[in-house]
Amino acid sequence: MPLRRSLLVRLLAASILIAVCSVAATAWLAARTTTSAIQQEQGQVLADDARIYDTLIGYAAGHPDWSAVTPTLNRLTERTGRHITLTTQGRRPIAASGSAAALPTRASALVDPLRADPALLPGVKADGIDPRAVGPYRLPRAERQELLDLVGTLQPCLRNIGSTARVTETPSGRPSLVITADTELRRKISEACALYTLDSPTPTEKRALDRLNALVGDCVKRQHLAPVTIGLGFTPVGVGNEAVQRCVDTARREQLARHVAPPALLFVTAPAGSAAPGFDLSRAGTVRVAGVAALVLLLTVAVTVTVGTRLVRPLRALTDAARRPSQQHLRVPVTTDDEIGRLAAAFNDLAERRERVEGRRKAMVSDVAHELRTPLSTIRSWLEAAQDGLAASDEAFVASLLEEALLLQHIVDDLQDLAQADVGRLRLHPEPLRLPELLDQVAAAHRGRAETAGVTLTTRIEGTPILNADPARLRQTVGNLLSNAIRHTPPGGAVTLRCRRADDQVLIEVADTGTGIAADDLPRVFDRFWRADKSRSRQTGGSGLGLAIVRQLAEAHGGTVSVTSTPDTETVFTLRLPHTRDAEAPDTV
């Protein structure tokens, strides 16, 4: 396994990264704490000043005056801890955060969205007009929604040609599609999907552009310049030079002036009485901090290696065991009680279950081969004898072959039923039915065989239980139990079919006075191909599949089947099925 995929290496790398980050964060916090006096002496923090300036420029760009700016100043003061004051250019107070304070000689900045400082606001172009100052270009909701709908119709085209675009929105509310590609590719994509349709001005923008073009036209006319046209990009279309651009900038400021707040002087000062103790970290202190950081890092690495090794060892054992051939069914030692220990225990349980399933599979294959071999061998022997003239093809000959063929068919049908049950395809057709009629029919069907075997077959039914079950499958279930009981009951014995209610269940019992089943064999009675006759002779008949089918059919009906036995005295198979209270059963089954 590559080292980069090793759990130990990844755990070690993560721990080292955490330790380094922790040490670095601690050192940074210590440095920040010990050098706060230097920060106080340097004046306002540049980041805080830029935030204050940006916020106030944005406010001025979206409001025609400063009448509601006080809450904004208070929020900025809470975030930065600075006292903020706005005055007119004549130093007449406009608003301030907190109580009035003495103003410095020089203002911190001039807050004018039409002449913003590009050094403090990177998003402002050289003309100094803040892009948030949109004034008459701000789109109403209906026009914004119309453009958004247009964007929605253009995006499928981009996806079809394998391109993606990010949807952005300008301060005026106009959505646009941003394609990450070179200029030539963007041009081709724009032409293919007609993205230029997004560039058409809305009615609101057209009115504002008409006013702007009129102002620019007056300016260039006064200066005897060539006429130009201004679009949404505010760039002259036609012959452009510095004089034309100055006309455009002047016209834009004139158009936006009544939509933005008037220029104001900004004063940012420290709160009165605030001070921070000065402290310089000495060389000895620096060495001490570095030593502690190195010790923490060393301890972290040592602990990580120890813990990681203990974690990886059982995982490697699990990996080696899982890679071994499946026939070996290896086990791994369980050394801990944590998640990995539980994983090892689950792996061992899985290996044990696989071993049991493999054993059952092999036994089943052997049993199926054995059960099919006997009738096939008989059929083959009789056919070869007939072919050689040693056996006459009379009625008895045909009857013998038919009996063996029927036995094969019975085994195949039983195996098919079990296979359908295993994959959940054993279909039932339940219907309300009365048990007395059904059980009498099953008993009548087996009474002739019982009399031939010298066995007394009787039925005892209490009341009229009603079930919602598949009649054919229920006959098959009870019939298998009766057939099994008659087969294992010697002449002179008795088989009793009983039925009664027990709370919310119906109990169908088949009792016989046969040889019985040993206590050690009871758990295996319903296993496939299991028979009490260990010699596997056919003197008692049966394929060993009948009781397995009984269990599957009982579970398919939502019930269970169990057995109790006293050897040479009595054996009772009990089928428990849910009773149906409100179902109306037909008069006949």
Side-chain angles (χ1 to χ4, degrees), residues 70-114:
T70 303
T72 302
L73 298 181
N74 291 335
R75 285 194 298 271
L76 289 172
T77 296
E78 291 177 1
R79 293 180 183 176
T80 63
R82 319 296 288 280
H83 187 275
I84 305 171
T85 303
L86 287 175
T87 70
T88 63
Q89 290 182 294
R91 291 207 168 210
R92 185 169 57 87
I94 296 177
S97 61
S99 58
L103 299 179
T105 304
R106 291 185 57 186
S108 302
L110 175 67
V111 181
D112 185 358
L114 303 182

Side-chain angles (χ1 to χ4, degrees), residues 125 127 199 209 212 230-237 245 248 252:
K125 297 181 180 179
D127 58 9
D199 299 330
L209 287 175
L212 178 62
I230 308 301
L232 287 177
F234 304 115
T235 301
V237 178
Q245 187 60 50
V248 173
R252 287 191 63 200

Side-chain angles (χ1 to χ4, degrees), residues 182-202:
D182 56 67
T183 304
E184 182 63 20
L185 181 57
R186 284 201 305 269
R187 184 185 63 79
K188 292 181 179 179
I189 294 174
S190 179
E191 292 177 355
C193 293
L195 299 185
Y196 54 83
T197 56
L198 273 176
D199 299 330
S200 299
T202 66

Side-chain angles (χ1 to χ4, degrees), residues 368-403:
V368 170
H370 178 86
E371 295 298 334
L372 296 180
R373 184 185 298 113
T374 301
L376 286 174
S377 298
T378 302
I379 293 173
R380 177 182 177 183
S381 299
W382 280 104
L383 291 176
E384 289 178 349
Q387 188 179 30
D388 295 338
L390 300 177
S393 300
D394 53 11
E395 184 177 350
F397 175 82
V398 175
S400 176
L401 292 181
L402 179 59
E403 181 181 356

Side-chain angles (χ1 to χ4, degrees), residues 46-391:
L46 181 60
D48 290 341
D49 289 346
R51 178 188 301 176
I52 294 171
Y53 182 77
D54 177 72
T55 303
L56 293 178
I57 285 287
Y59 178 92
H63 297 78
D65 54 49
W66 297 100
S67 59
V69 74
T70 303
T72 302
L73 298 181
N74 291 335
R75 285 194 298 271
L76 289 172
T77 296
E78 291 177 1
R79 293 180 183 176
T80 63
R82 319 296 288 280
H83 187 275
I84 305 171
T85 303
L86 287 175
T87 70
T88 63
Q89 290 182 294
R91 291 207 168 210
R92 185 169 57 87
I94 296 177
S97 61
S99 58
L103 299 179
T105 304
R106 291 185 57 186
S108 302
L110 175 67
V111 181
D112 185 358
L114 303 182
R115 291 178 176 78
D117 187 354
L120 296 177
L121 296 179
V124 175
K125 297 181 180 179
D127 58 9
I129 300 176
D130 190 278
R132 290 169 290 186
V134 293
Y137 297 90
R138 187 180 304 277
L139 299 183
R141 180 178 300 177
E143 293 182 2
R144 185 184 300 115
Q145 186 59 47
E146 183 178 354
L147 290 176
L148 288 174
D149 294 341
L150 180 58
V151 168
T153 62
L154 295 176
Q155 285 179 320
C157 175
L158 293 173
R159 288 193 292 269
N160 291 337
I161 64 176
S163 178
T164 58
R166 178 168 50 89
V167 180
T168 61
E169 188 171 295
T170 63
S172 66
R174 163 176 282 274
S176 62
L177 292 171
V178 179
I179 303 174
T180 304
D182 56 67
T183 304
E184 182 63 20
L185 181 57
R186 284 201 305 269
R187 184 185 63 79
K188 292 181 179 179
I189 294 174
S190 179
E191 292 177 355
C193 293
L195 299 185
Y196 54 83
T197 56
L198 273 176
D199 299 330
S200 299
T202 66
T204 298
E205 292 171 331
K206 190 174 186 308
R207 288 192 298 270
L209 287 175
D210 290 343
R211 174 59 181 162
L212 178 62
N213 277 287
L215 294 174
V216 173
D218 293 340
C219 178
V220 298
K221 187 176 181 180
R222 288 194 301 269
Q223 300 186 31
H224 306 289
L225 300 174
V228 294
T229 302
I230 308 301
L232 287 177
F234 304 115
T235 301
V237 178
V239 180
N241 51 41
E242 292 183 1
V244 172
Q245 187 60 50
R246 285 194 297 270
C247 284
V248 173
D249 296 343
T250 302
R252 287 191 63 200
R253 292 189 178 95
E254 181 180 352
Q255 184 183 31
L256 296 174
R258 65 189 184 90
H259 298 280
V260 301
L265 294 178
L266 171 65
F267 297 88
V268 180
T269 57
S274 63
F279 180 79
D280 291 329
L281 192 63
S282 64
R283 177 167 183 161
T286 303
V287 173
R288 189 161 47 249
V289 171
V292 172
L295 180 61
V296 171
L297 182 61
L298 181 62
L299 290 176
T300 302
V301 173
V303 172
T304 302
V305 171
T306 303
V307 175
T309 302
R310 294 188 61 183
L311 288 175
V312 170
R313 187 181 298 115
L315 292 178
R316 287 178 177 171
L318 282 170
T319 303
D320 293 339
R323 288 179 175 176
R324 295 293 180 89
S326 59
Q327 296 82 358
Q328 296 184 7
H329 305 293
L330 296 179
R331 309 293 194 273
V332 294
V334 180
T335 58
T336 61
D337 192 27
D338 54 11
E339 291 81 359
I340 296 181
R342 294 176 184 177
L343 176 62
F347 179 88
N348 292 338
D349 292 341
L350 177 61
E352 185 176 351
R353 289 197 299 271
R354 286 181 56 193
E355 189 173 3
R356 288 199 302 267
V357 170
E358 182 69 15
R360 291 175 182 175
R361 184 189 66 80
K362 292 180 180 178
M364 183 175 178
V365 172
S366 176
D367 290 338
V368 170
H370 178 86
E371 295 298 334
L372 296 180
R373 184 185 298 113
T374 301
L376 286 174
S377 298
T378 302
I379 293 173
R380 177 182 177 183
S381 299
W382 280 104
L383 291 176
E384 289 178 349
Q387 188 179 30
D388 295 338
L390 300 177

